[in-house]
Amino acid sequence: MAVETHVLDDDCATITGWGRTAPTLARVRRPRGPSEAADAVRSSGARGAIARGLGRAYGDAAQNAGGTVLDMTGLDRILALDPTAGLVVCEAGVSLHRLTEALLPLGWAVPVAPATRYVTVGGAIGADVHGTNHPASGSFGRHVTVLELLTADGTVRTLVPGIPLFDATTGGMGLTGVILTATLRLLPVETSLMTVDTERAPGLDETMARLAAADRRYGHSVARIDLLARGAATGRAVLAHGDHTPYDALPRRHRARRAPLALRPALLPAPPPYVPGGILGRTAAGLLEELRYRGTPRARTGGLQPLTAFLHPHDGVPHRNRTPARAWSVPHVGSVPRAWSVPRSGSVPYQFVVPYGQEEVLRKVVRLIADRRCAAPGAVLQRFGAGGPGPLSFPLPGWTLALDLPAALPGLGAFLDALDEQVAEAGGRVFLARDSRVRPETLAAMYPRLGEFRALRAALDPRSAFTSDLSRRLDL
């Protein structure tokens, strides 16, 4: 899947995040090795450089208005595999899809899988992405044993966990340097299937109770929550719990017994080039949520799903960000806007986490969204375990809700600012990889170690060689 860029000449392009918001103009370089990456950083000029993978960050983290963007997909080699230790060494531009294709037939899987496998290893580390198994497995950075980082002085540093620079790089949104290679600890698997139990929960409290209970029984758990339901049904959800299927658990005549580790991608047809805007409006979204909820049995156990379908639901519909529901209409080419502007159409991604003990804040936010009658299909609620060591790593022990809100919602900017304040007051935070509009002063309240990150950057990169639209907007 291509990076979201539109090339204007030999090396200039307008670039957006996956949410297709606020396009900016930058010079694009595609290094093929460490020396070319170092040359690109040295020649980036006053506006600096930022590394970019497959463009799946929703906001402006991998954009750099007027500067240089390093397209890292040219560094896409798998360098070594140690099947005894379960370790793989690869370049930062390798996608999780490519790793899955190469490793699954050998009985290995990536241990943390975000909702799409079309992200690069470097991007997964830079955003410290998480999956539906966070309480048990943590986020992506926990499974990196070594990484090589090109820093602003042109040095390639070998880093291991526990070193402040390593920790700051996990979740650091590419602002500590360019990740060149990484060594990942893998997960052994016997089949390419997941054993999945599904159930319905009639309201938010029951949804949370069942997710909490699932931590003790399953490796993966997630709830698709209906944010249009109100009254007693507020927060009702369809829950899915899963584990990797061992070979002996396959039914006797199941076709997977002949090829248990074959990659079985689940893919729906691409959306048509034009979808009427009303199809994703409140009425249609409400009907879809009702059908999804009513069409799911109260409880079903032992279903078998392809690993890719369960772990990477966003890959089921290719180019899902290109439908009108994700189209943006207010460009800011060449510079970053001083204030966030609401586009006339499309949807705004929003993800936050609040700590355990702050469940009332989660209830209040869900009620506020439900009362606004927002069409927010595909919203998911899950639990986080222990957070990572990075100052800007998103997860912390608590509840995380991810959703898309309609951009045409009246007063959306003020509404999200109000939600931010409640999340910050509860000791929570928003996910920078899905953000394009949080205020700098609010971010400081959400990330108490922000000063530590800024100090490390100032010492490591005093001239801000690594810069992005996000870092300028938030004064990182």
Side-chain angles (χ1 to χ4, degrees):
M1 292 195 178
V3 175
E4 291 288 299
T5 61
H6 176 65
V7 178
L8 299 181
D9 54 36
D10 288 343
D11 64 355
C12 269
T14 53
I15 300 176
T16 74
W18 188 246
R20 306 182 74 190
T21 110
T24 55
L25 182 64
R27 180 175 55 176
V28 177
R29 300 283 296 275
R30 195 167 189 260
R32 297 286 184 173
S35 61
E36 291 185 13
D39 289 342
V41 173
R42 278 194 296 269
S43 62
S44 60
R47 299 290 286 183
I50 194 70
R52 181 183 179 89
L54 287 170
R56 285 301 184 104
Y58 280 82
D60 52 3
Q63 298 173 218
N64 184 18
T68 298
V69 170
L70 305 183
D71 176 358
M72 297 299 293
T73 58
L75 280 77
D76 62 350
R77 294 179 299 163
I78 298 174
L79 301 173
L81 171 65
D82 183 342
T84 302
L87 296 173
V88 64
V89 185
C90 60
E91 292 181 315
V94 173
S95 70
L96 300 192
H97 173 68
R98 172 101 182 277
L99 280 182
T100 301
E101 284 185 317
L103 299 176
L104 191 59
L106 304 177
W108 297 101
V110 177
V112 170
T116 173
R117 63 189 182 277
Y118 293 100
V119 298
T120 61
V121 168
I125 297 170
D128 201 18
V129 297
H130 54 273
T132 54
N133 60 342
H134 191 274
S137 300
S139 49
F140 198 88
R142 182 190 294 186
H143 304 275
V144 180
T145 62
V146 184
L147 64 82
E148 289 183 319
L149 185 75
L150 171 66
T151 52
D153 60 2
T155 302
V156 176
R157 307 189 188 204
T158 301
L159 308 176
V160 296
I163 294 176
L165 182 53
F166 178 101
D167 295 345
T169 300
T170 58
M173 308 308 292
L175 297 173
T176 59
V178 179
I179 299 170
L180 297 173
T181 70
T183 302
L184 308 179
R185 186 182 299 110
L186 301 171
L187 176 72
V189 295
E190 297 180 15
T191 74
S192 61
L193 297 174
M194 301 286 292
T195 302
V196 181
D197 296 347
T198 56
E199 59 179 335
R200 294 186 338 210
L204 183 58
D205 286 347
E206 186 69 17
T207 298
M208 290 192 291
R210 295 188 186 189
L211 281 174
D215 282 354
R216 300 185 293 272
R217 298 179 55 198
Y218 302 95
H220 297 257
S221 285
V222 66
R224 289 198 64 168
I225 186 169
D226 181 359
L227 292 177
L228 281 170
R230 292 189 294 177
T234 300
R236 70 180 182 179
V238 173
L239 292 86
H241 317 290
D243 287 298
H244 291 274
T245 305
Y247 182 82
D248 289 344
L250 292 174
R252 182 179 301 176
R253 296 185 179 180
H254 197 283
R255 62 187 178 91
R257 280 189 168 269
R258 296 191 297 272
L261 290 167
L263 182 63
R264 296 175 172 85
L267 198 65
L268 297 177
Y274 174 73
V275 179
I279 199 171
L280 295 175
R282 182 194 307 169
T283 302
L287 178 60
L288 289 174
E289 293 290 356
E290 186 72 23
L291 290 173
R292 179 183 298 113
Y293 184 79
R294 298 295 178 188
T296 302
R298 292 183 183 275
R300 178 172 56 197
T301 61
L304 294 179
Q305 292 184 18
L307 176 151
T308 53
F310 182 84
L311 298 179
H312 309 292
H314 286 182
D315 298 336
V317 180
H319 307 298
R320 64 191 293 270
N321 69 324
R322 293 184 179 275
T323 63
R326 300 209 59 83
W328 292 71
S329 58
V330 179
H332 300 282
V333 178
S335 63
V336 179
R338 291 181 179 273
W340 182 69
S341 301
V342 180
R344 292 187 295 274
S345 64
S347 56
V348 178
Y350 188 68
Q351 183 172 2
F352 68 90
V353 57
V354 292
Y356 296 128
Q358 295 291 334
E359 285 76 9
E360 189 52 42
V361 174
L362 176 62
R363 294 186 185 99
K364 184 176 181 181
V365 170
V366 170
R367 286 195 300 267
L368 286 171
I369 296 171
D371 288 345
R372 293 291 294 266
R373 307 297 290 151
C374 302
V380 296
L381 177 69
Q382 68 179 89
R383 288 166 60 87
F384 279 160
L392 294 188
S393 182
F394 169 63
L396 56 80
W399 301 93
T400 180
L401 179 65
L403 64 148
D404 290 340
L405 290 167
L409 186 70
L412 179 58
F415 180 61
L416 291 177
D417 286 345
L419 295 188
D420 285 346
E421 290 178 6
Q422 293 183 51
V423 168
E425 289 175 3
R429 57 185 61 151
V430 298
F431 190 18
L432 291 181
R434 289 179 63 91
D435 174 65
S436 60
R437 31 73 42 202
V438 71
R439 296 178 182 273
E441 60 272 19
T442 308
L443 185 79
M446 292 176 169
Y447 285 86
R449 297 173 61 196
L450 184 59
E452 175 186 334
F453 182 80
R454 285 172 170 157
L456 182 145
R457 277 203 72 210
L460 183 70
D461 183 11
R463 295 181 296 168
S464 296
F466 296 109
T467 307
S468 65
D469 291 353
L470 179 141
S471 71
R472 292 190 188 93
R473 174 169 59 86
L474 296 177
D475 190 25
L476 295 176

